[in-house]
Amino acid sequence: MSSQVMTFSVNRLTRTLTVSPQASLLGVLRNDLELNSPKYGCGLGECGACTVLVDGVAARACVIPAAGVAGREITTLEGLGSLDALHPVQQAFIEEQAAQCGYCLSGMIMMTVALLARKPEPTDDEIRRELSGNLCRCGTHLEILKAVRRAAQLMQPVPAQAGKA
């Protein structure tokens, strides 16, 4: 099969690329677009290192054909925030020191963003269940749990103060 021209919306930018029909989304993100946050872990969609958002939903980029997401909104860690304006989930993971080697971190953050978009105040059991498919081999599970709780707090709307005119 010959390569095809496809248009992708990645981190709010439209990119047109010539892509092999067999290419995975992960391959396109890392190799063609030079976005290094989604990692190749297992290649089977089981470890979560490659997690990105597709139309706001967490997805495993290693098992998704790139052609299947052409034209949809894809967000990687690079598209969440910047050094000057971190996304609240990024800020919380830094504040809670929720990484050692950092290999799983991008996937954990992206899964957390998706979770908090659906459920702004998750319980510890809901957090554990949601992140159960994202593997951390370093053992920072307690710090990650704290980071998700902290992110949920940071993302809560600031209540209006009574008496202000």
Side-chain angles (χ1 to χ4, degrees):
M1 290 183 149
S2 62
S3 295
Q4 301 171 349
V5 175
M6 297 180 206
T7 301
F8 298 92
S9 177
V10 180
N11 299 332
R12 295 173 299 282
L13 297 173
T14 301
R15 303 286 302 269
T16 301
L17 304 166
T18 302
V19 178
S20 164
Q22 292 85 19
S24 69
L25 175 58
L26 181 62
V28 169
L29 293 172
R30 290 187 60 84
N31 301 331
D32 298 316
L33 298 177
E34 299 179 356
L35 297 169
N36 294 318
S37 66
K39 305 290 188 233
Y40 182 90
C42 67
L44 302 171
E46 294 181 7
C47 74
C50 66
T51 303
V52 297
L53 303 180
V54 177
D55 295 333
V57 177
R60 307 302 172 123
C62 71
V63 294
I64 296 175
V69 294
R72 296 173 68 186
E73 183 60 41
I74 300 159
T75 306
T76 68
L77 186 67
E78 291 91 345
L80 283 184
S82 67
L83 290 176
D84 297 328
L86 293 173
H87 185 281
V89 175
Q90 291 171 309
Q91 180 181 341
F93 272 69
I94 291 169
E95 288 175 3
E96 297 298 333
Q97 299 179 19
Q100 282 187 34
C101 81
Y103 204 81
C104 71
L105 196 61
S106 174
M108 291 284 188
I109 289 173
M110 300 310 288
M111 189 62 80
T112 299
V113 170
L115 167 63
L116 296 178
R118 286 190 334 273
K119 188 144 186 84
E121 297 183 54
T123 65
D124 285 356
D125 285 342
E126 290 168 327
I127 295 167
R128 284 187 187 97
R129 191 170 31 258
E130 188 77 12
L131 296 180
S132 66
N134 286 64
L135 305 180
C136 172
R137 291 170 178 90
C138 296
T140 61
H141 299 94
L142 294 177
E143 290 81 2
I144 290 168
L145 185 62
K146 288 179 192 175
V148 176
R149 281 193 234 116
R150 177 76 180 128
Q153 291 172 346
L154 292 172
M155 293 177 71
Q156 291 300 312
V158 177
Q161 294 183 1
K164 290 241 174 176

